[in-house]
Amino acid sequence: MRVFDFTNAIVRAPAPSVVHGLRSGSSPNPDFEKLRAEHQAYVSALQGAGLQIDLLPPLDAFADSIFVEDPAFVVPQGAILLRPGAPTRLGEREHMRDALKRRFGRVQELADGEYVDGGDVLITPKTIFIGLSRRTNRAGAEALQAALKSLGRDARIVQTPAAILHFKTASSLLDEETVLVTRAMADSGVFEGYHLIVTPDGEEGAANALRVNGTVLVGDRFPQTHELIRKHGLSVQGLAVTEIAKLDAGLSCMSLRW
Ligand code: CIR
């Protein structure tokens, strides 16, 4: 199986509190109904790609809890409960544990003082990149690296470029050796040895795309990036991301896939 071939995903339905989710800039609150429609279209796209979906109930106490990618990390060999680096998000892990246990049985966990957001973890065939960021500290990255080693997976700790929320805000795997990146990520040199497709100026938000089986899901506001990916020989499905982008989120954040 290739690392972007998936049969299952965990997602969480949005709660009305999602409109108060974290954001680094001064974006207005998203519109709840429009955001819910974006989320539904995203879940339909995963189903259309052949994935079986485990839909978790909304969690009003945690505004950012639809971004299920951050409190956990999964590979087919096992699941790891992470510790998100934003204080308002740490409690999300307690609501993820049972869902992971149902699917994976044993679940490894990070310990106190160790912080990793799943948005900082990118799987490629050669290695799994763990990006240090404002959310992911070295203790967390090293603990995750050790947990992955116990699952037979190699991981490499790297630096997320400054001013980028998560490592995957600026990078997504498109095929075995090709990564879609922003110019800042390309310039960081982290992906030496990979083929890079750089998002055109003004389309940096496209870099959080999601390859699922035969299709690349990309924000629908990024036509030039669609064209670059199609020219590379891959099929693209555009999805609305206007509301979730107000919360600094993209297309990988809303699911855990294996
Ligand atoms: C946050 O700041 O934590 C959320 N508003 C957005 C999280 C996006 N997650 C991701 O990219 N993996």
Coordinates of all heavy atoms in Angstrom, one line a residue, residues 47-97:
Q47 N -15.5 10.0 1.3 CA -16.3 8.8 1.0 C -16.3 8.5 -0.5 O -16.1 7.3 -0.9 CB -17.8 9.1 1.4 CG -18.0 9.0 2.9 CD -19.4 9.4 3.3 OE1 -19.9 10.4 2.8 NE2 -19.9 8.8 4.4
G48 N -16.3 9.5 -1.3 CA -16.2 9.3 -2.7 C -14.9 8.7 -3.2 O -14.8 8.0 -4.2
A49 N -13.8 8.9 -2.3 CA -12.5 8.3 -2.6 C -12.5 6.9 -2.1 O -11.4 6.2 -2.2 CB -11.4 9.2 -2.0
G50 N -13.5 6.4 -1.5 CA -13.6 5.0 -1.1 C -13.4 4.8 0.4 O -13.3 3.7 0.9
L51 N -13.3 5.9 1.2 CA -13.0 5.7 2.6 C -14.2 5.4 3.5 O -15.3 6.0 3.2 CB -12.3 6.9 3.2 CG -10.8 7.0 3.0 CD1 -10.4 7.1 1.5 CD2 -10.2 8.2 3.7
Q52 N -14.0 4.6 4.5 CA -15.1 4.3 5.4 C -14.9 5.4 6.5 O -13.8 5.5 7.1 CB -15.0 2.9 6.0 CG -16.2 2.5 6.8 CD -15.9 1.2 7.5 OE1 -15.4 0.3 6.8 NE2 -16.3 1.1 8.8
I53 N -16.0 6.1 6.9 CA -15.8 7.2 7.8 C -16.4 6.9 9.2 O -17.5 6.4 9.3 CB -16.6 8.4 7.3 CG1 -16.2 8.8 5.8 CG2 -16.5 9.6 8.2 CD1 -14.8 9.3 5.7
D54 N -15.6 7.2 10.2 CA -16.0 7.1 11.6 C -16.3 8.6 12.0 O -15.4 9.4 12.2 CB -14.9 6.5 12.4 CG -15.3 6.2 13.9 OD1 -16.4 6.6 14.3 OD2 -14.5 5.6 14.6
L55 N -17.6 8.9 12.1 CA -18.0 10.3 12.4 C -18.2 10.5 13.9 O -19.1 10.0 14.4 CB -19.2 10.7 11.6 CG -19.8 12.1 11.9 CD1 -18.9 13.2 11.4 CD2 -21.2 12.3 11.2
L56 N -17.3 11.3 14.5 CA -17.4 11.5 16.0 C -18.4 12.6 16.2 O -18.6 13.5 15.4 CB -16.1 11.8 16.6 CG -14.9 10.8 16.3 CD1 -13.6 11.3 17.0 CD2 -15.3 9.4 16.8
P57 N -19.1 12.7 17.4 CA -20.1 13.7 17.7 C -19.4 15.1 17.9 O -18.2 15.1 18.3 CB -20.7 13.2 18.9 CG -19.7 12.3 19.6 CD -18.9 11.7 18.5
P58 N -20.2 16.2 17.7 CA -19.6 17.5 17.9 C -19.2 17.7 19.4 O -19.9 17.1 20.3 CB -20.8 18.4 17.6 CG -22.0 17.6 17.4 CD -21.6 16.2 17.2
L59 N -18.2 18.5 19.6 CA -17.8 18.8 21.0 C -17.8 20.3 21.2 O -16.8 21.0 20.9 CB -16.3 18.3 21.1 CG -15.9 16.9 21.5 CD1 -14.4 16.8 21.6 CD2 -16.6 16.5 22.8
D60 N -18.9 20.8 21.8 CA -19.0 22.2 21.9 C -18.0 22.9 22.8 O -17.6 24.0 22.7 CB -20.4 22.6 22.3 CG -20.9 23.9 21.8 OD1 -20.6 24.2 20.6 OD2 -21.5 24.7 22.6
A61 N -17.5 22.1 23.8 CA -16.5 22.6 24.7 C -15.1 22.9 24.1 O -14.3 23.5 24.7 CB -16.4 21.7 25.9
F62 N -14.9 22.3 22.9 CA -13.6 22.5 22.3 C -13.8 23.1 20.9 O -14.2 22.3 19.9 CB -12.9 21.2 22.2 CG -12.5 20.7 23.6 CD1 -13.3 19.8 24.3 CD2 -11.3 21.2 24.2 CE1 -13.0 19.4 25.5 CE2 -11.0 20.7 25.5 CZ -11.8 19.8 26.2
A63 N -13.6 24.4 20.7 CA -13.9 25.1 19.5 C -13.2 24.5 18.3 O -13.7 24.5 17.2 CB -13.6 26.6 19.6
D64 N -12.0 24.0 18.5 CA -11.2 23.6 17.4 C -11.2 22.1 17.2 O -10.4 21.5 16.4 CB -9.7 24.0 17.6 CG -9.5 25.5 17.3 OD1 -9.7 25.9 16.1 OD2 -9.2 26.3 18.3
S65 N -12.2 21.4 17.8 CA -12.1 19.9 17.8 C -12.5 19.3 16.5 O -12.3 18.1 16.3 CB -13.0 19.4 18.9 OG -14.3 19.8 18.8
I66 N -13.0 20.0 15.5 CA -13.2 19.4 14.2 C -11.8 19.1 13.5 O -11.7 18.3 12.6 CB -14.0 20.2 13.1 CG1 -13.5 21.6 12.9 CG2 -15.4 20.2 13.5 CD1 -14.0 22.2 11.6
F67 N -10.8 19.8 14.0 CA -9.4 19.5 13.4 C -8.8 18.3 14.1 O -7.8 18.4 14.8 CB -8.6 20.8 13.5 CG -9.3 22.0 12.9 CD1 -9.6 23.1 13.7 CD2 -9.7 22.0 11.6 CE1 -10.3 24.2 13.1 CE2 -10.4 23.0 11.0 CZ -10.7 24.1 11.8
V68 N -9.4 17.2 13.8 CA -9.0 15.9 14.5 C -7.6 15.5 14.2 O -7.1 14.6 14.9 CB -10.0 14.7 14.1 CG1 -11.3 14.9 14.8 CG2 -10.1 14.6 12.6
E69 N -7.0 16.0 13.2 CA -5.6 15.6 12.9 C -4.6 16.0 14.0 O -3.6 15.4 14.1 CB -5.2 16.3 11.6 CG -3.8 16.0 11.2 CD -3.4 16.7 9.8 OE1 -3.3 17.9 9.8 OE2 -3.3 15.9 8.9
D70 N -5.0 17.0 14.8 CA -4.0 17.6 15.7 C -3.8 16.8 17.0 O -2.7 16.6 17.5 CB -4.3 19.0 16.0 CG -4.0 19.9 14.7 OD1 -3.1 19.6 14.0 OD2 -4.9 20.8 14.4
P71 N -4.9 16.2 17.6 CA -4.7 15.5 18.9 C -4.2 14.1 18.7 O -4.1 13.4 19.7 CB -6.0 15.6 19.6 CG -7.0 15.8 18.5 CD -6.3 16.5 17.4
A72 N -4.0 13.6 17.5 CA -3.6 12.2 17.4 C -2.9 12.0 16.1 O -2.9 12.8 15.2 CB -4.9 11.3 17.3
F73 N -2.1 10.9 16.0 CA -1.4 10.5 14.8 C -1.6 9.0 14.5 O -1.5 8.2 15.5 CB 0.1 10.9 14.9 CG 0.8 10.6 13.6 CD1 0.6 11.4 12.5 CD2 1.6 9.5 13.5 CE1 1.2 11.2 11.3 CE2 2.3 9.3 12.2 CZ 2.1 10.1 11.2
V74 N -2.0 8.7 13.3 CA -2.2 7.2 13.0 C -1.4 6.8 11.8 O -1.3 7.6 10.8 CB -3.7 6.9 12.8 CG1 -4.5 7.3 14.1 CG2 -4.3 7.6 11.6
V75 N -1.0 5.6 11.8 CA -0.5 4.9 10.6 C -1.1 3.5 10.7 O -1.7 3.2 11.7 CB 1.1 4.8 10.7 CG1 1.8 6.1 10.3 CG2 1.6 4.2 12.0
P76 N -1.1 2.8 9.6 CA -1.8 1.5 9.7 C -1.3 0.6 10.8 O -2.1 -0.2 11.3 CB -1.5 0.8 8.3 CG -1.2 2.0 7.4 CD -0.6 3.0 8.3
Q77 N -0.1 0.8 11.2 CA 0.5 -0.1 12.3 C 0.0 0.3 13.7 O 0.2 -0.5 14.6 CB 2.0 0.0 12.3 CG 2.7 -0.5 11.0 CD 2.8 0.5 9.9 OE1 2.2 1.6 10.0 NE2 3.5 0.1 8.8
G78 N -0.5 1.5 13.9 CA -1.0 1.8 15.2 C -1.3 3.3 15.4 O -1.1 4.1 14.4
A79 N -1.8 3.7 16.6 CA -2.2 5.0 16.8 C -1.4 5.6 18.0 O -1.1 4.9 18.9 CB -3.7 5.1 17.1
I80 N -1.2 6.9 18.0 CA -0.5 7.6 19.0 C -1.4 8.8 19.4 O -1.7 9.6 18.6 CB 0.9 8.1 18.6 CG1 1.7 6.8 18.1 CG2 1.6 8.8 19.7 CD1 2.8 7.1 17.2
L81 N -1.7 8.9 20.7 CA -2.4 10.1 21.2 C -1.4 11.2 21.5 O -0.5 11.0 22.3 CB -3.2 9.7 22.5 CG -4.3 10.5 22.9 CD1 -5.4 10.7 21.9 CD2 -4.9 9.9 24.2
L82 N -1.6 12.3 20.8 CA -0.6 13.4 21.0 C -1.1 14.4 22.1 O -2.1 14.1 22.7 CB -0.5 14.1 19.6 CG -0.2 13.3 18.4 CD1 -0.2 14.1 17.1 CD2 1.2 12.7 18.6
R83 N -0.3 15.4 22.3 CA -0.7 16.5 23.2 C -0.6 17.8 22.4 O 0.5 18.3 22.2 CB 0.3 16.5 24.4 CG 0.1 15.2 25.3 CD 1.2 15.1 26.4 NE 1.3 16.4 27.2 CZ 0.5 16.6 28.2 NH1 -0.4 15.8 28.6 NH2 0.6 17.8 28.9
P84 N -1.7 18.3 21.9 CA -1.7 19.6 21.2 C -1.1 20.7 22.0 O -1.3 20.8 23.2 CB -3.2 19.8 20.9 CG -3.9 18.5 21.0 CD -3.1 17.8 22.1
G85 N -0.3 21.6 21.2 CA 0.4 22.6 21.9 C -0.4 23.8 22.3 O 0.1 24.7 23.1
A86 N -1.6 24.0 21.8 CA -2.4 25.1 22.3 C -3.2 24.7 23.5 O -3.9 23.7 23.5 CB -3.4 25.5 21.2
P87 N -3.1 25.5 24.6 CA -3.7 25.1 25.9 C -5.2 24.8 25.7 O -5.7 23.9 26.3 CB -3.5 26.3 26.8 CG -2.3 27.0 26.2 CD -2.3 26.7 24.7
T88 N -5.9 25.6 24.9 CA -7.4 25.3 24.7 C -7.7 24.0 24.0 O -8.8 23.6 23.9 CB -8.0 26.5 23.9 OG1 -7.4 26.6 22.6 CG2 -8.0 27.8 24.6
R89 N -6.6 23.4 23.4 CA -6.9 22.2 22.6 C -6.4 20.9 23.3 O -6.7 19.8 22.8 CB -6.2 22.3 21.2 CG -6.7 23.5 20.4 CD -6.4 23.3 19.0 NE -7.1 22.1 18.5 CZ -6.9 21.6 17.2 NH1 -6.1 22.2 16.4 NH2 -7.5 20.5 16.9
L90 N -5.7 21.1 24.4 CA -5.1 19.9 25.1 C -6.2 18.8 25.4 O -6.0 17.6 25.3 CB -4.3 20.3 26.3 CG -3.4 19.3 26.9 CD1 -2.4 18.7 25.9 CD2 -2.6 19.9 28.1
G91 N -7.3 19.3 25.9 CA -8.4 18.4 26.4 C -9.0 17.6 25.3 O -9.7 16.6 25.6
E92 N -8.8 18.0 24.0 CA -9.4 17.2 22.9 C -8.9 15.7 22.9 O -9.6 14.8 22.5 CB -9.0 17.8 21.6 CG -9.6 19.2 21.3 CD -9.1 19.8 20.0 OE1 -8.7 19.0 19.1 OE2 -9.1 21.0 19.9
R93 N -7.7 15.5 23.4 CA -7.1 14.2 23.4 C -8.0 13.2 24.2 O -8.1 12.0 23.8 CB -5.7 14.2 23.9 CG -5.5 14.6 25.3 CD -4.1 15.0 25.6 NE -3.1 14.0 25.4 CZ -2.8 13.0 26.2 NH1 -3.5 12.9 27.4 NH2 -1.9 12.2 26.0
E94 N -8.6 13.7 25.3 CA -9.4 12.8 26.1 C -10.6 12.3 25.3 O -11.2 11.2 25.6 CB -9.9 13.5 27.4 CG -8.8 14.0 28.3 CD -7.8 13.0 28.6 OE1 -8.2 11.8 28.7 OE2 -6.6 13.3 28.8
H95 N -11.1 13.0 24.3 CA -12.2 12.7 23.5 C -11.9 11.9 22.3 O -12.7 11.6 21.5 CB -13.0 13.9 23.1 CG -13.5 14.7 24.3 ND1 -14.8 14.4 24.9 CD2 -12.9 15.6 25.1 CE1 -14.9 15.2 25.9 NE2 -13.8 15.9 26.1
M96 N -10.6 11.7 22.1 CA -10.1 10.9 21.0 C -9.7 9.5 21.3 O -9.7 8.6 20.5 CB -8.9 11.7 20.4 CG -8.4 11.2 19.1 SD -9.6 11.0 17.8 CE -9.7 12.8 17.3
R97 N -9.3 9.3 22.6 CA -8.7 8.1 23.1 C -9.6 6.9 22.7 O -9.1 5.9 22.1 CB -8.5 8.1 24.6 CG -7.7 6.9 25.1 CD -7.4 7.0 26.6 NE -6.3 7.9 26.9 CZ -6.5 9.1 27.5 NH1 -7.7 9.5 27.9 NH2 -5.5 9.8 27.8

